Coordinates of all heavy atoms in Angstrom, one line a residue:
M1 N -18.8 31.5 56.6 CA -18.5 32.9 56.6 C -19.7 33.8 56.8 O -20.7 33.6 56.0 CB -17.7 33.3 55.4 CG -17.4 34.8 55.3 SD -16.3 35.1 53.9 CE -17.4 35.7 52.7
H2 N -19.8 34.6 57.8 CA -21.0 35.5 58.0 C -20.5 36.9 57.9 O -19.6 37.3 58.7 CB -21.6 35.2 59.3 CG -22.7 36.1 59.6 ND1 -24.0 36.0 59.0 CD2 -22.8 37.1 60.5 CE1 -24.8 36.9 59.4 NE2 -24.1 37.6 60.3
L3 N -21.2 37.7 57.0 CA -20.9 39.1 57.0 C -22.1 39.9 57.6 O -23.2 39.4 57.4 CB -20.8 39.6 55.5 CG -19.6 39.0 54.7 CD1 -19.7 39.4 53.3 CD2 -18.3 39.5 55.3
P4 N -21.9 40.9 58.3 CA -23.0 41.7 58.9 C -23.8 42.4 57.8 O -23.3 42.7 56.7 CB -22.3 42.7 59.8 CG -20.9 42.9 59.2 CD -20.6 41.5 58.6
P5 N -25.1 42.5 58.0 CA -25.9 43.2 57.0 C -25.4 44.7 56.8 O -25.5 45.4 57.8 CB -27.3 43.2 57.6 CG -27.3 42.1 58.6 CD -25.9 42.0 59.1
I6 N -24.9 45.0 55.7 CA -24.4 46.3 55.4 C -25.2 47.1 54.3 O -24.8 48.1 53.8 CB -22.9 46.3 55.0 CG1 -22.7 45.4 53.8 CG2 -22.1 45.8 56.2 CD1 -21.3 45.5 53.2
I7 N -26.4 46.5 54.0 CA -27.2 47.2 53.0 C -28.0 48.3 53.7 O -28.7 48.0 54.7 CB -28.2 46.1 52.4 CG1 -27.4 44.9 51.8 CG2 -29.0 46.7 51.3 CD1 -26.3 45.2 50.8
H8 N -27.9 49.5 53.2 CA -28.7 50.6 53.7 C -29.6 51.2 52.6 O -29.4 50.9 51.4 CB -27.8 51.6 54.4 CG -26.7 52.0 53.5 ND1 -26.8 53.0 52.6 CD2 -25.4 51.6 53.5 CE1 -25.7 53.2 52.0 NE2 -24.8 52.4 52.5
D9 N -30.5 52.0 53.0 CA -31.6 52.5 52.1 C -31.0 53.3 50.9 O -31.6 53.3 49.8 CB -32.5 53.4 52.8 CG -33.5 52.6 53.7 OD1 -33.6 51.4 53.4 OD2 -34.1 53.1 54.6
A10 N -29.8 53.9 51.0 CA -29.3 54.6 49.9 C -28.9 53.7 48.7 O -28.8 54.2 47.6 CB -28.1 55.4 50.4
L11 N -28.6 52.4 49.0 CA -28.3 51.5 47.9 C -29.5 50.9 47.3 O -29.4 50.4 46.1 CB -27.4 50.4 48.5 CG -26.1 50.8 49.1 CD1 -25.4 49.6 49.8 CD2 -25.2 51.3 48.1
I12 N -30.6 50.9 47.9 CA -31.8 50.3 47.3 C -32.5 51.3 46.4 O -32.7 52.5 46.7 CB -32.8 49.9 48.5 CG1 -32.1 48.8 49.3 CG2 -34.1 49.4 47.9 CD1 -32.8 48.4 50.5
D13 N -33.0 50.8 45.3 CA -33.6 51.6 44.2 C -32.7 52.8 43.7 O -33.2 53.9 43.6 CB -35.0 52.2 44.7 CG -36.0 51.1 44.8 OD1 -35.9 50.1 44.1 OD2 -36.9 51.2 45.6
S14 N -31.4 52.5 43.5 CA -30.5 53.5 43.1 C -30.7 53.8 41.6 O -31.5 53.1 40.9 CB -29.1 53.0 43.4 OG -28.8 51.9 42.6
A15 N -30.0 54.7 41.1 CA -30.1 55.1 39.7 C -29.7 54.0 38.7 O -30.2 53.9 37.6 CB -29.2 56.3 39.4
E16 N -28.8 53.1 39.2 CA -28.4 51.9 38.4 C -29.6 51.0 38.0 O -29.5 50.2 37.1 CB -27.3 51.1 39.0 CG -26.0 51.9 39.1 CD -25.8 52.8 40.3 OE1 -26.7 52.7 41.2 OE2 -24.9 53.5 40.3
T17 N -30.6 51.0 38.9 CA -31.7 50.0 38.7 C -32.9 50.6 37.9 O -33.9 49.9 37.6 CB -32.3 49.5 40.0 OG1 -32.8 50.7 40.8 CG2 -31.2 48.9 40.8
E18 N -32.8 51.9 37.4 CA -33.9 52.5 36.6 C -34.0 51.7 35.3 O -33.1 51.6 34.6 CB -33.5 54.0 36.3 CG -33.6 54.9 37.5 CD -35.1 55.1 37.9 OE1 -35.9 55.2 37.1 OE2 -35.3 55.2 39.1
G19 N -35.2 51.3 35.1 CA -35.5 50.5 33.8 C -35.1 49.1 33.9 O -35.1 48.4 32.8
Y20 N -34.8 48.5 35.0 CA -34.4 47.1 35.2 C -35.6 46.2 34.9 O -36.7 46.4 35.5 CB -33.8 46.9 36.6 CG -33.4 45.5 36.8 CD1 -32.2 45.0 36.3 CD2 -34.2 44.6 37.4 CE1 -31.8 43.7 36.5 CE2 -33.8 43.3 37.6 CZ -32.6 42.8 37.2 OH -32.2 41.6 37.4
V21 N -35.4 45.2 34.1 CA -36.4 44.2 33.8 C -35.7 42.8 34.1 O -34.7 42.5 33.5 CB -36.9 44.2 32.3 CG1 -37.9 43.1 32.1 CG2 -37.5 45.5 32.0
P22 N -36.3 42.1 35.1 CA -35.6 40.8 35.5 C -35.7 39.8 34.3 O -36.7 39.8 33.6 CB -36.4 40.3 36.7 CG -37.6 41.1 36.7 CD -37.4 42.4 35.9
G23 N -34.7 38.9 34.3 CA -34.7 37.8 33.3 C -34.7 36.5 34.1 O -35.7 36.2 34.7
T24 N -33.6 35.8 34.1 CA -33.6 34.5 34.8 C -33.4 34.7 36.3 O -32.6 35.5 36.7 CB -32.4 33.6 34.2 OG1 -31.3 34.4 34.2 CG2 -32.8 33.1 32.9
I25 N -34.1 33.9 37.1 CA -33.9 33.9 38.5 C -32.8 33.0 38.9 O -32.7 31.8 38.5 CB -35.2 33.4 39.2 CG1 -36.3 34.5 38.9 CG2 -35.0 33.2 40.7 CD1 -37.7 34.1 39.4
E26 N -31.9 33.5 39.7 CA -30.7 32.8 40.1 C -30.9 32.1 41.4 O -30.5 31.0 41.6 CB -29.5 33.8 40.2 CG -28.2 33.2 40.6 CD -27.2 34.2 40.7 OE1 -27.1 35.1 39.8 OE2 -26.4 34.2 41.6
S27 N -31.5 32.8 42.4 CA -31.7 32.3 43.7 C -32.9 32.9 44.4 O -33.2 34.1 44.1 CB -30.5 32.6 44.5 OG -30.6 32.0 45.8
V28 N -33.6 32.2 45.2 CA -34.7 32.7 46.0 C -34.2 33.1 47.4 O -33.4 32.4 48.0 CB -35.8 31.6 46.1 CG1 -37.0 32.1 47.0 CG2 -36.4 31.3 44.7
L29 N -34.7 34.2 47.9 CA -34.3 34.7 49.2 C -35.5 34.5 50.2 O -36.6 34.9 49.9 CB -33.9 36.2 49.1 CG -32.8 36.6 48.2 CD1 -32.7 38.1 48.1 CD2 -31.5 35.9 48.6
R30 N -35.2 33.9 51.3 CA -36.2 33.8 52.4 C -35.6 34.6 53.6 O -34.4 34.5 53.9 CB -36.4 32.3 52.7 CG -37.1 31.6 51.6 CD -37.4 30.2 52.0 NE -36.2 29.3 52.0 CZ -35.6 28.8 50.9 NH1 -36.2 29.0 49.8 NH2 -34.6 28.1 51.0
F31 N -36.5 35.3 54.3 CA -36.1 36.1 55.4 C -36.8 35.6 56.7 O -37.9 35.1 56.6 CB -36.4 37.6 55.2 CG -35.7 38.1 54.0 CD1 -36.2 38.1 52.7 CD2 -34.4 38.6 54.2 CE1 -35.4 38.6 51.6 CE2 -33.7 39.1 53.1 CZ -34.2 39.1 51.9
G32 N -36.2 36.0 57.8 CA -36.8 35.6 59.1 C -38.0 36.5 59.4 O -38.3 37.5 58.8
P33 N -38.7 36.1 60.5 CA -40.0 36.9 60.9 C -39.8 38.3 61.3 O -40.7 39.1 61.2 CB -40.6 36.0 62.0 CG -39.4 35.2 62.5 CD -38.5 35.0 61.4
H34 N -38.5 38.7 61.7 CA -38.3 40.0 62.2 C -37.6 40.9 61.2 O -37.2 42.0 61.5 CB -37.5 40.0 63.5 CG -38.1 39.2 64.6 ND1 -39.3 39.6 65.2 CD2 -37.9 38.0 65.1 CE1 -39.7 38.7 66.1 NE2 -38.8 37.7 66.1
S35 N -37.4 40.4 60.0 CA -36.8 41.1 58.9 C -37.7 42.1 58.3 O -38.9 42.0 58.4 CB -36.3 40.2 57.8 OG -35.8 40.9 56.7
R36 N -37.2 43.2 57.7 CA -38.0 44.2 57.0 C -38.5 43.6 55.7 O -39.4 44.2 55.1 CB -37.3 45.5 56.9 CG -36.2 45.5 55.9 CD -35.4 46.8 55.9 NE -36.0 47.7 55.0 CZ -35.4 48.8 54.5 NH1 -34.2 49.1 55.0 NH2 -36.0 49.6 53.7
W37 N -37.9 42.5 55.2 CA -38.2 41.9 53.9 C -39.0 40.7 54.1 O -38.8 39.9 55.0 CB -37.0 41.6 53.1 CG -36.1 42.8 53.0 CD1 -34.8 42.9 53.6 CD2 -36.3 44.0 52.3 NE1 -34.3 44.2 53.3 CE2 -35.2 44.9 52.5 CE3 -37.4 44.5 51.5 CZ2 -35.1 46.1 52.0 CZ3 -37.3 45.8 51.0 CH2 -36.2 46.6 51.2
C38 N -40.0 40.5 53.3 CA -40.9 39.3 53.3 C -40.2 38.1 52.5 O -40.1 37.0 52.9 CB -42.2 39.6 52.7 SG -43.3 38.3 52.5
A39 N -39.8 38.5 51.3 CA -39.1 37.5 50.4 C -38.4 38.3 49.3 O -38.4 39.5 49.3 CB -40.2 36.6 49.8
G40 N -37.7 37.5 48.4 CA -37.0 38.2 47.4 C -36.3 37.2 46.4 O -36.4 36.0 46.7
V41 N -35.7 37.6 45.4 CA -35.0 36.8 44.4 C -33.7 37.5 44.0 O -33.7 38.8 44.0 CB -35.8 36.4 43.2 CG1 -37.0 35.5 43.6 CG2 -36.2 37.6 42.4
I42 N -32.7 36.8 43.6 CA -31.6 37.3 42.9 C -31.8 37.0 41.4 O -32.0 35.8 41.1 CB -30.3 36.7 43.4 CG1 -30.1 37.1 44.9 CG2 -29.1 37.2 42.6 CD1 -29.0 36.4 45.6
A43 N -31.8 38.0 40.5 CA -32.1 37.7 39.1 C -31.2 38.5 38.2 O -30.7 39.6 38.5 CB -33.5 38.2 38.8
A44 N -30.8 37.9 37.1 CA -30.1 38.5 36.1 C -31.0 39.4 35.2 O -32.2 39.0 35.1 CB -29.4 37.5 35.2
G45 N -30.6 40.5 34.7 CA -31.4 41.3 33.9 C -31.7 40.7 32.5 O -30.9 40.0 32.0
S46 N -32.9 41.1 32.0 CA -33.2 40.6 30.6 C -32.3 41.3 29.6 O -32.3 42.5 29.6 CB -34.7 40.9 30.4 OG -35.0 40.6 29.0
A47 N -31.6 40.5 28.8 CA -30.7 41.1 27.9 C -31.3 42.0 26.8 O -30.7 43.0 26.4 CB -29.9 40.0 27.2
D48 N -32.5 41.7 26.4 CA -33.1 42.5 25.3 C -34.2 43.5 25.8 O -34.5 44.4 25.1 CB -33.7 41.5 24.3 CG -34.6 40.4 24.9 OD1 -34.3 40.0 26.0 OD2 -35.6 40.0 24.2
R49 N -34.7 43.4 27.0 CA -35.7 44.3 27.5 C -35.2 45.3 28.6 O -35.8 46.4 28.7 CB -36.9 43.6 28.0 CG -37.6 42.8 26.9 CD -38.9 42.2 27.3 NE -38.8 41.6 28.6 CZ -39.8 41.1 29.3 NH1 -41.1 41.3 28.8 NH2 -39.7 40.5 30.4
S50 N -34.2 45.0 29.3 CA -33.8 45.8 30.4 C -33.0 47.0 29.9 O -32.1 46.9 29.1 CB -32.9 45.0 31.4 OG -32.6 45.8 32.5
L51 N -33.3 48.2 30.4 CA -32.6 49.4 30.1 C -31.7 49.9 31.2 O -31.1 51.0 31.0 CB -33.7 50.5 29.7 CG -34.7 50.1 28.6 CD1 -35.7 51.2 28.5 CD2 -34.0 49.9 27.3
A52 N -31.6 49.2 32.2 CA -30.8 49.6 33.4 C -29.3 49.4 33.2 O -28.9 48.5 32.4 CB -31.3 48.9 34.6
V53 N -28.5 50.1 34.0 CA -27.1 49.9 34.0 C -26.8 48.6 34.7 O -25.9 47.9 34.3 CB -26.4 51.1 34.7 CG1 -24.9 50.8 34.9 CG2 -26.6 52.4 34.0
A54 N -27.5 48.3 35.7 CA -27.3 47.0 36.5 C -27.7 45.8 35.7 O -28.7 45.8 35.0 CB -28.2 47.1 37.8
T55 N -26.9 44.8 35.7 CA -27.1 43.6 34.9 C -27.6 42.5 35.9 O -28.1 41.4 35.4 CB -25.9 43.1 34.2 OG1 -24.8 42.9 35.2 CG2 -25.4 44.1 33.2
R56 N -27.6 42.7 37.2 CA -28.0 41.7 38.2 C -28.5 42.5 39.4 O -27.9 43.4 39.8 CB -26.8 40.9 38.5 CG -27.1 39.7 39.4 CD -25.8 38.9 39.6 NE -25.9 37.8 40.5 CZ -25.0 37.6 41.4 NH1 -23.9 38.3 41.5 NH2 -25.2 36.6 42.3
C57 N -29.7 42.0 39.8 CA -30.3 42.7 41.0 C -30.9 41.7 42.0 O -31.3 40.6 41.6 CB -31.4 43.7 40.5 SG -30.9 45.2 39.8
A58 N -31.0 42.2 43.2 CA -31.9 41.5 44.2 C -33.2 42.2 44.2 O -33.2 43.4 44.4 CB -31.2 41.5 45.6
L59 N -34.3 41.5 43.9 CA -35.6 42.1 44.0 C -36.2 41.7 45.3 O -36.3 40.5 45.7 CB -36.5 41.5 42.8 CG -35.8 41.6 41.5 CD1 -36.7 40.9 40.4 CD2 -35.7 43.1 41.1
L60 N -36.5 42.7 46.1 CA -36.9 42.5 47.5 C -38.4 42.9 47.7 O -38.8 44.0 47.3 CB -36.0 43.3 48.5 CG -34.5 43.0 48.3 CD1 -33.7 44.1 49.0 CD2 -34.2 41.6 48.8
I61 N -39.1 42.1 48.4 CA -40.5 42.4 48.7 C -40.6 42.8 50.2 O -40.3 41.9 51.0 CB -41.4 41.2 48.4 CG1 -41.3 40.8 46.9 CG2 -42.9 41.5 48.7 CD1 -41.9 39.4 46.6
P62 N -41.0 44.0 50.5 CA -41.1 44.4 51.9 C -42.3 43.9 52.6 O -43.3 43.5 52.0 CB -41.2 46.0 51.8 CG -41.8 46.2 50.4 CD -41.3 45.1 49.6
R63 N -42.2 43.8 53.9 CA -43.3 43.3 54.7 C -44.4 44.4 54.7 O -45.6 44.1 54.7 CB -42.9 43.0 56.2 CG -42.1 41.8 56.3 CD -42.1 41.2 57.7 NE -41.1 40.2 57.8 CZ -41.4 38.9 57.4 NH1 -42.5 38.6 56.9 NH2 -40.4 38.0 57.5
K64 N -44.0 45.6 54.8 CA -44.9 46.8 54.8 C -44.8 47.5 53.5 O -43.6 47.8 53.1 CB -44.7 47.7 56.0 CG -45.0 47.0 57.3 CD -44.7 47.9 58.4 CE -44.9 47.2 59.7 NZ -44.6 48.0 60.9
G65 N -45.8 47.8 52.8 CA -45.8 48.5 51.5 C -46.0 47.5 50.4 O -46.1 46.3 50.6
K66 N -46.2 48.1 49.2 CA -46.6 47.2 48.1 C -45.6 47.2 47.0 O -45.7 46.4 46.1 CB -48.0 47.7 47.6 CG -49.1 47.6 48.6 CD -50.3 48.1 48.1 CE -51.3 48.2 49.2 NZ -52.6 47.9 49.1
R67 N -44.7 48.1 47.0 CA -43.7 48.2 45.9 C -42.5 47.3 46.1 O -41.8 47.4 47.2 CB -43.3 49.7 45.8 CG -42.7 50.0 44.5 CD -42.5 51.5 44.4 NE -41.7 52.0 45.4 CZ -40.4 52.5 45.2 NH1 -39.9 52.5 44.0 NH2 -39.7 52.9 46.2
M68 N -42.2 46.5 45.1 CA -40.9 45.7 45.1 C -39.7 46.7 45.0 O -39.8 47.7 44.3 CB -40.9 44.8 43.9 CG -39.7 43.9 43.8 SD -39.7 42.9 42.4 CE -39.8 44.1 41.1
R69 N -38.7 46.4 45.8 CA -37.5 47.2 45.8 C -36.4 46.5 45.1 O -36.3 45.3 45.1 CB -37.1 47.5 47.2 CG -38.2 48.1 48.1 CD -38.7 49.4 47.8 NE -37.7 50.5 47.8 CZ -37.3 51.2 48.9 NH1 -37.9 51.0 50.0 NH2 -36.4 52.1 48.8
K70 N -35.5 47.2 44.5 CA -34.4 46.7 43.7 C -33.0 47.1 44.3 O -32.8 48.2 44.6 CB -34.5 47.1 42.2 CG -35.7 46.5 41.5 CD -35.8 47.1 40.1 CE -36.6 48.4 40.3 NZ -37.2 48.9 39.2
L71 N -32.1 46.1 44.3 CA -30.8 46.4 44.8 C -29.8 45.9 43.8 O -29.8 44.7 43.4 CB -30.5 45.6 46.1 CG -29.1 45.6 46.7 CD1 -28.7 47.0 47.1 CD2 -29.0 44.7 47.9
A72 N -29.0 46.8 43.2 CA -28.0 46.4 42.1 C -26.9 45.6 42.8 O -26.4 45.9 43.9 CB -27.5 47.7 41.5
L73 N -26.5 44.6 42.1 CA -25.5 43.7 42.6 C -24.3 43.6 41.6 O -24.6 43.6 40.3 CB -26.1 42.3 42.8 CG -27.3 42.1 43.7 CD1 -27.8 40.7 43.7 CD2 -26.8 42.5 45.1
H74 N -23.2 43.3 42.1 CA -22.0 43.1 41.2 C -22.2 41.7 40.6 O -22.5 40.7 41.3 CB -20.7 43.1 42.0 CG -19.5 43.1 41.1 ND1 -19.0 42.0 40.6 CD2 -18.7 44.2 40.7 CE1 -17.9 42.3 39.9 NE2 -17.8 43.6 39.9
P75 N -21.9 41.5 39.3 CA -22.1 40.2 38.6 C -21.3 39.1 39.1 O -21.7 37.9 39.1 CB -21.8 40.5 37.1 CG -21.8 42.0 37.0 CD -21.6 42.6 38.3
A76 N -20.1 39.4 39.7 CA -19.3 38.3 40.2 C -19.5 38.0 41.7 O -18.9 37.0 42.2 CB -17.8 38.7 40.0
L77 N -20.4 38.7 42.4 CA -20.6 38.4 43.8 C -21.5 37.1 43.9 O -22.5 37.0 43.4 CB -21.4 39.6 44.4 CG -21.3 39.8 45.9 CD1 -19.9 39.9 46.4 CD2 -22.1 41.0 46.3
P78 N -20.9 36.1 44.7 CA -21.7 34.9 44.8 C -23.0 35.1 45.6 O -23.1 36.0 46.5 CB -20.7 34.0 45.7 CG -19.4 34.6 45.5 CD -19.6 36.1 45.3
A79 N -24.0 34.3 45.2 CA -25.3 34.3 45.9 C -25.3 34.2 47.4 O -26.0 34.8 48.1 CB -26.3 33.3 45.2
E80 N -24.4 33.3 47.8 CA -24.3 33.0 49.3 C -23.8 34.3 50.0 O -24.2 34.5 51.2 CB -23.4 31.8 49.6 CG -24.0 30.5 49.1 CD -25.3 30.2 49.7 OE1 -25.5 30.5 50.9 OE2 -26.2 29.8 48.9
V81 N -22.9 35.0 49.4 CA -22.4 36.3 50.1 C -23.6 37.3 50.1 O -23.7 38.0 51.1 CB -21.2 36.8 49.3 CG1 -20.8 38.2 49.8 CG2 -20.0 35.9 49.4
I82 N -24.3 37.4 49.1 CA -25.5 38.3 49.0 C -26.5 37.9 50.1 O -27.0 38.8 50.8 CB -26.1 38.3 47.6 CG1 -25.1 38.8 46.6 CG2 -27.4 39.2 47.6 CD1 -25.5 38.6 45.2
K83 N -26.8 36.7 50.2 CA -27.7 36.2 51.2 C -27.2 36.5 52.6 O -28.0 37.0 53.5 CB -27.9 34.7 51.1 CG -28.8 34.3 49.9 CD -28.9 32.8 49.9 CE -29.8 32.4 48.7 NZ -30.0 30.9 48.7
S84 N -25.9 36.4 52.8 CA -25.4 36.7 54.1 C -25.5 38.2 54.4 O -25.8 38.6 55.5 CB -23.9 36.3 54.2 OG -23.3 36.6 55.4
M85 N -25.2 39.0 53.4 CA -25.3 40.5 53.6 C -26.7 41.0 53.8 O -26.9 41.9 54.6 CB -24.7 41.2 52.3 CG -23.2 41.0 52.2 SD -22.6 41.6 50.6 CE -23.2 43.2 50.5
L86 N -27.7 40.3 53.3 CA -29.1 40.6 53.5 C -29.7 39.9 54.7 O -30.9 40.1 54.9 CB -29.9 40.3 52.2 CG -29.6 41.2 51.0 CD1 -30.3 40.7 49.8 CD2 -30.1 42.6 51.3
D87 N -28.9 39.0 55.3 CA -29.4 38.2 56.4 C -30.6 37.3 56.0 O -31.6 37.2 56.6 CB -29.8 39.0 57.6 CG -29.8 38.3 58.9 OD1 -29.1 37.2 59.0 OD2 -30.5 38.7 59.8
A88 N -30.4 36.7 54.8 CA -31.4 35.8 54.2 C -30.9 34.4 54.2 O -29.8 34.1 54.4 CB -31.8 36.3 52.8
T89 N -31.9 33.4 53.9 CA -31.5 32.0 53.7 C -31.9 31.6 52.4 O -32.6 32.2 51.7 CB -32.2 31.1 54.8 OG1 -33.6 31.3 54.6 CG2 -31.7 31.4 56.2

């Protein structure tokens, strides 16, 4: 199953990710050479240190720029679906 990339800038670094501290890494994201992202991970939030509303995020490292970007994810969304939406492997 392939879903088209539907992630746009308004969803990245939203209010739900304010104060997010990553905990356990669920999956590593690899992107192609023409993607705007260099790499990333899907991680659950730290239960005792994270202050964000989001309990699970994709942490994305851009090819240009130095700041890691955060995308809030639904806890029940499978990692393979997220990878498909971000066009990652």
Side-chain angles (χ1 to χ4, degrees):
M1 176 169 101
H2 176 73
L3 296 174
I6 56 170
I7 306 301
H8 50 83
D9 286 340
L11 298 173
I12 297 173
D13 290 333
S14 64
E16 290 88 6
T17 62
E18 288 290 322
Y20 180 82
V21 177
T24 48
I25 294 175
E26 180 183 320
S27 183
V28 175
L29 303 172
R30 290 182 288 278
F31 296 93
H34 301 293
S35 173
R36 69 185 273 195
W37 308 112
C38 174
V41 296
I42 298 171
S46 174
D48 48 326
R49 294 189 313 171
S50 186
L51 303 174
V53 173
T55 58
R56 186 173 175 226
C57 282
L59 306 174
L60 305 168
I61 302 168
R63 289 200 188 278
K64 296 179 181 174
K66 298 180 189 216
R67 194 170 64 106
M68 177 183 61
R69 309 292 300 272
K70 294 174 273 202
L71 173 66
L73 303 171
H74 190 279
L77 199 58
E80 292 305 316
V81 173
I82 296 165
K83 286 181 178 181
S84 178
M85 290 169 59
L86 290 169
D87 201 21
T89 58

